[in-house]
Amino acid sequence: MTPSSDTPAARRRLAGDHTGPQPATHWPTTLLGKLAVTGNRPAVMLGETLLLPIIALALGFAWSPNDPLWTEGFPWSWLAPVILALRYGPLAGLGGSVVLLLGWLALHLGSYDEFPQFFFLGGLILVMLVGEFSSLWQARTRRAETLQLYLDQRMEHLVRQHYLLRLSHDRLEQELIGRPMSMRDALSMLQEAGAGPQGPETLLRLLAQYCQLETASLCRVVDDEVLPEALASIGRTRPVVAGDAMVRQAIEGRRLCHISQALRDEKDTRYLVAAPLLDLGGELYGLLVVEEMPFFSLHDENLQTINLLLGYYTDGLSAHALAQPILEALPDCPVPFAFEARRLAHIRAMTHVSSVVVALEFLPRAISSGLPDQVRRLKRELDETWLIDAPNRQVLAVLMPLGDANTAQGYISRLEQWCDQKAGQSLAQAGIFAHVIGLEWGNTLTLLQRIEALAHA
């Protein structure tokens, strides 16, 4: 690690902190870039479907009154349906073609026997081909965006975990006199509290002990409005002022705000810190407002710690909510494993990008050699594991995000090589048998129950 990575700005970047300036959104600045942005509303699509062919007809009528559709020579009028097909797919292109057809019929009343059949047939074939090409690439783009969103969320989660680990090991012994708790202890307590009724109180108590808060409240936020009744509070708190400048800035900006920013912007506020509770998807769960804390505790590192503890807690809330159906049926399933299984199954249903589970069955001779724990340490960075213990065997389920049967076979081959180098045996000889199971959205719970049944067979 270079020395520059220990500066407050670098730590903010590592922690994914939102207290610093946010990057500006890059919108298309050129005319062509603006034209390439498609409207998401059906009314916009319908308006363009009608307007573009009409403009083509009007230009054709102004340029060539006798042949507005340019049936003789290059068919310039078909550019309008082709553009619609490229932007919105074959259905919009077909709608533009119908407008051109209606225009020709309106301009040739009583002379329908002159209908240019090959002109319209060739144009429709061109529009359908272009529309099919557009639909294919739109589907690929949506799939790539979904996968990129998933990878960004996992990266942000790993960055948070990495920074929390650094904080846990960077604390000096003399600081623990004022903070009789390590970061590991704090995270363990947050994990145990989870989504239970005592969760907000546990979170606020940890923040008070670890970040030296004296007067603070934790409030719910519904539709970007702070509810007056606090979920938890410490010190002599007063009702939260929903219209306070710092409170509104924290909610609207979705980032931690503190008193120095308010003084710089000349805003009147009675709070020292206002921090939203956001998960990885950006969903707002609540708001922490701090009225009193020691002057020397109001520094960048402490603010980053507040942001990270809030993020860790809300990540746990979202994970518990998504994994709840699985946890009710399989109480022994780890929350991270159930959460990832549900999220990856949803990605499979939306984008058809597969994920796979490798269930490794360990017989008693493998268990006596300690192989389950050794194999568990060989997992990849993004994989999640679930070790199921039964009287006669153990099953280690390894969830491999964005993988397929080839990924699973590569993992099993790597285990074969490892086992051969370690003991000169194959997996079967060592008492390990692999089962490869694809992950699907509709039967995620059934799949996990099937894996658990392997251990109790």
Side-chain angles (χ1 to χ4, degrees), residues 363-374 422 425 430:
L363 298 185
R365 63 177 181 271
I367 298 173
S368 61
S369 301
L371 291 180
D373 291 332
Q374 296 179 42
K422 182 178 184 298
Q425 296 178 322

Side-chain angles (χ1 to χ4, degrees), residues 255-438:
R255 60 189 179 91
L256 184 146
C257 301
H258 49 86
I259 187 64
S260 63
Q261 295 173 340
L263 294 177
R264 182 183 60 208
D265 299 336
E266 298 182 354
K267 294 181 178 179
D268 185 21
T269 179
R270 80 180 194 193
Y271 301 111
L272 299 178
V273 178
L277 279 73
L278 299 170
D279 63 7
L280 292 175
E283 184 177 352
L284 182 61
Y285 285 83
L287 183 73
L288 171 72
V289 289
V290 180
E291 295 186 45
E292 297 179 9
M293 64 186 300
F295 175 77
F296 289 105
S297 298
L298 192 61
H299 52 79
D300 285 342
E301 186 177 354
N302 214 23
L303 295 176
Q304 290 166 6
T305 304
I306 292 174
N307 223 13
L308 286 167
L309 288 175
L310 293 179
Y312 187 88
Y313 176 74
T314 49
D315 287 348
L317 290 180
S318 61
H320 274 277
L322 191 59
Q324 192 60 34
I326 294 177
L327 297 178
E328 290 177 355
L330 302 171
D332 295 333
C333 182
V335 174
F337 188 93
F339 171 62
E340 280 302 308
R342 291 273 296 177
R343 185 161 64 165
L344 290 171
H346 179 67
I347 289 177
R348 166 67 176 171
M350 296 296 295
T351 67
H352 303 290
V353 176
S354 61
S355 296
V356 69
V357 178
V358 177
L360 299 172
E361 183 179 354
F362 295 89
L363 298 185
R365 63 177 181 271
I367 298 173
S368 61
S369 301
L371 291 180
D373 291 332
Q374 296 179 42
V375 173
R376 193 174 191 175
R377 289 193 290 267
L378 295 176
K379 76 179 187 71
R380 305 178 306 170
E381 186 68 30
L382 294 179
D383 295 347
E384 294 291 346
T385 59
W386 175 23
L387 184 60
I388 307 170
D389 198 0
N392 297 323
R393 71 192 70 192
Q394 289 184 349
V395 173
L396 177 64
V398 182
L399 176 60
M400 298 182 171
L402 313 182
D404 53 14
N406 293 330
T407 307
Q409 290 301 325
Y411 174 71
I412 295 172
S413 299
R414 185 158 60 94
L415 290 182
E416 285 277 6
Q417 295 175 4
W418 171 81
C419 192
D420 182 64
Q421 293 173 359
K422 182 178 184 298
Q425 296 178 322
S426 65
L427 288 179
Q429 292 171 340
I432 305 175
F433 298 92
H435 307 268
V436 179
I437 307 172

Side-chain angles (χ1 to χ4, degrees), residues 51 183 250:
L51 186 60
M183 179 64 76

Side-chain angles (χ1 to χ4, degrees), residues 57-370:
L57 287 171
L59 292 175
F61 192 79
W63 186 264
S64 177
N66 297 326
D67 188 16
L69 270 71
W70 286 292
T71 57
E72 302 293 337
F74 187 82
W76 294 102
S77 57
W78 280 104
L79 289 178
V82 166
I83 292 174
L84 289 170
L86 281 173
R87 286 168 62 81
Y88 298 108
L91 187 60
L94 187 61
S97 304
V98 170
V99 175
L100 289 185
L101 175 61
L102 294 177
W104 188 93
L105 295 176
L107 293 173
H108 295 79
L109 293 174
S111 57
Y112 296 152
D113 54 339
E114 301 176 2
F115 182 72
Q117 299 178 3
F118 290 102
F119 173 79
F120 278 96
L121 177 61
L124 284 174
I125 293 175
L126 175 64
V127 167
M128 296 307 292
L129 288 175
V130 170
E132 185 64 24
F133 178 84
S134 173
S135 297
L136 174 64
W137 280 99
Q138 285 177 6
R140 291 185 178 182
T141 301
R142 285 194 296 269
R143 179 183 302 178
E145 289 175 349
T146 304
L147 292 182
Q148 186 62 46
L149 176 61
Y150 168 76
L151 293 175
D152 288 344
Q153 289 178 346
R154 287 305 301 266
M155 179 60 71
E156 185 174 350
H157 176 72
L158 290 175
V159 168
R160 282 182 177 177
Q161 298 298 320
H162 171 72
Y163 186 72
L164 288 169
L165 186 63
R166 284 193 59 193
L167 285 180
S168 178
H169 290 82
D170 287 348
R171 299 299 178 187
L172 300 178
E173 186 174 353
Q174 56 268 30
E175 290 184 351
L176 295 179
I177 298 174
R179 299 177 181 179
M181 180 182 297
S182 67
M183 179 64 76
R184 184 183 298 276
D185 296 333
L187 298 183
S188 299
M189 291 186 66
L190 283 181
Q191 219 168 25
E192 292 173 2
Q198 301 300 320
E201 294 183 3
T202 302
L203 172 63
L204 200 56
R205 187 170 64 252
L206 287 175
L207 288 170
Q209 294 177 357
Y210 202 83
C211 302
Q212 300 179 356
L213 307 185
E214 295 178 351
T215 303
S217 300
L218 196 60
C219 308
R220 287 188 59 196
V221 178
V222 178
D223 296 330
D224 287 354
E225 292 296 331
V226 181
L227 299 186
E229 185 176 354
L231 295 172
S233 61
I234 55 172
R236 303 180 62 181
T237 58
R238 294 172 288 178
V240 177
V241 180
D244 186 271
M246 187 182 297
V247 170
R248 299 312 311 168
Q249 184 179 358
I251 293 176
E252 294 170 2
R254 295 295 197 269
R255 60 189 179 91
L256 184 146
C257 301
H258 49 86
I259 187 64
S260 63
Q261 295 173 340
L263 294 177
R264 182 183 60 208
D265 299 336
E266 298 182 354
K267 294 181 178 179
D268 185 21
T269 179
R270 80 180 194 193
Y271 301 111
L272 299 178
V273 178
L277 279 73
L278 299 170
D279 63 7
L280 292 175
E283 184 177 352
L284 182 61
Y285 285 83
L287 183 73
L288 171 72
V289 289
V290 180
E291 295 186 45
E292 297 179 9
M293 64 186 300
F295 175 77
F296 289 105
S297 298
L298 192 61
H299 52 79
D300 285 342
E301 186 177 354
N302 214 23
L303 295 176
Q304 290 166 6
T305 304
I306 292 174
N307 223 13
L308 286 167
L309 288 175
L310 293 179
Y312 187 88
Y313 176 74
T314 49
D315 287 348
L317 290 180
S318 61
H320 274 277
L322 191 59
Q324 192 60 34
I326 294 177
L327 297 178
E328 290 177 355
L330 302 171
D332 295 333
C333 182
V335 174
F337 188 93
F339 171 62
E340 280 302 308
R342 291 273 296 177
R343 185 161 64 165
L344 290 171
H346 179 67
I347 289 177
R348 166 67 176 171
M350 296 296 295
T351 67
H352 303 290
V353 176
S354 61
S355 296
V356 69
V357 178
V358 177
L360 299 172
E361 183 179 354
F362 295 89
L363 298 185
R365 63 177 181 271
I367 298 173
S368 61
S369 301

